[in-house]
């Protein structure tokens, strides 16, 4: 009987203690949820601060664009930027900057692809995969080194060479990316696998447009994206196929009316399979 009462007393005390713990934790849980909500608001605010919209955007299209064009500031730390740079610089420094490209899209660049990485850098690329892609990424990572005077001209990525998502880490410099709405009826590339690729420029109606689509700013809508040094951009779906994208030259490198000094810029670019 003594044992029973002792057990009952211990059970009651434990129940009271558990209730007190739960009651004490409810305010803590509420505080955590409020912090998470506030952080989400701050993240969205920072994201909006990195995007400037121009022209009359259809509401549904702007909503899609926000989903498909994402920027994560400070995705890597300064030490991570340094270790990435230290791995690729010995090879990149031996290459000459080129001023002609097979599709005339890039001037003042040098590039390579890399499959094997130092362990610490593999961890960074795995983080990119987890954040930006649903599954695996292509084994070769594209490294694009743009000279201070280099420029990436307006173009639309082809579905022939990679899948629906491209993601890049920006090293060494801030820059401004501009995305301008194309004429999707002429470009005929609304989704992966639907594009009609010309065999040669001018071989069919609108082939020249697909080779290097014209996307005038007048009477059009577009967005300027600030790509801070050490940020990650994730471009997918409609942002890739319905908009040209370019890196503004240093003469035109402005964001919201403020000059964005553009120096040498290296992009570490991951893609998924077509």
């Amino acid at each position: 009987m003594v044992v029973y009462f002792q057990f009952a007393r211990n059970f009651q005390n434990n129940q009271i203690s558990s209730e007190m713990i739960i009651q004490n934790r409810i305010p803590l849980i509420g505080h955590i949820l409020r912090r998470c909500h506030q952080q989400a608001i701050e993240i969205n605010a920072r994201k909006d601060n990195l995007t400037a919209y121009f022209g009359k955007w259809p509401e549904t299209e702007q909503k899609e664009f926000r989903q498909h064009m994402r920027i994560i500031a400070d995705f890597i730390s300064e030490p991570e930027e340094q270790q990435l740079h230290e791995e690729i610089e010995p090879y990149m420094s031996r290459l000459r900057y080129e001023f002609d490209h097979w599709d005339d899209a890039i001037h003042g660049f040098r590039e390579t692809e890399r499959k094997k990485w130092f362990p610490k850098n593999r961890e960074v690329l795995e983080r990119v995969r987890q954040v930006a892609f649903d599954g695996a990424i292509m084994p070769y990572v594209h490294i694009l080194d743009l000279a201070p005077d280099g420029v990436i001209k307006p173009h639309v990525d082809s579905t022939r060479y990679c899948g629906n998502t491209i993601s890049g880490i920006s090293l060494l410099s801030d820059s401004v990316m501009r995305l301008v709405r194309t004429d999707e009826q002429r470009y005929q590339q609304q989704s992966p696998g639907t594009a009609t690729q010309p065999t040669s420029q001018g071989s069919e109606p609108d082939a020249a447009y697909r080779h290097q689509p014209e996307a005038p700013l007048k009477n059009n809508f577009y967005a300027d994206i600030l790509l801070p040094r050490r940020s990650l951009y994730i471009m997918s779906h409609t942002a890739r196929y319905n908009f040209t994208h370019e890196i503004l030259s240093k003469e035109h490198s402005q964001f919201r009316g403020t000059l964005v000094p553009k120096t040498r810029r290296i992009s570490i670019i991951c893609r998924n399979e077509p």
Side-chain angles (χ1 to χ4, degrees), residues 75-76 80 122-132:
F75 181 78
I76 59 172
E80 287 172 330
R122 280 204 308 269
E123 292 176 7
V124 172
L125 295 175
E126 172 59 20
R127 207 160 76 233
V128 173
R129 187 194 68 78
Q130 292 175 356
V131 169

Side-chain angles (χ1 to χ4, degrees), residues 95-129:
L95 303 178
R96 291 184 178 181
Y97 285 110
E98 301 177 35
F99 291 87
D100 55 352
H101 191 259
W102 66 273
D103 63 357
D104 197 40
I106 317 177
H107 289 258
F109 73 100
R110 48 192 180 185
E111 63 184 340
T112 188
E113 292 183 329
R114 194 176 190 92
K115 185 176 183 180
K116 296 182 178 180
W117 294 82
F118 296 156
K120 287 292 186 181
N121 290 333
R122 280 204 308 269
E123 292 176 7
V124 172
L125 295 175
E126 172 59 20
R127 207 160 76 233
V128 173
R129 187 194 68 78

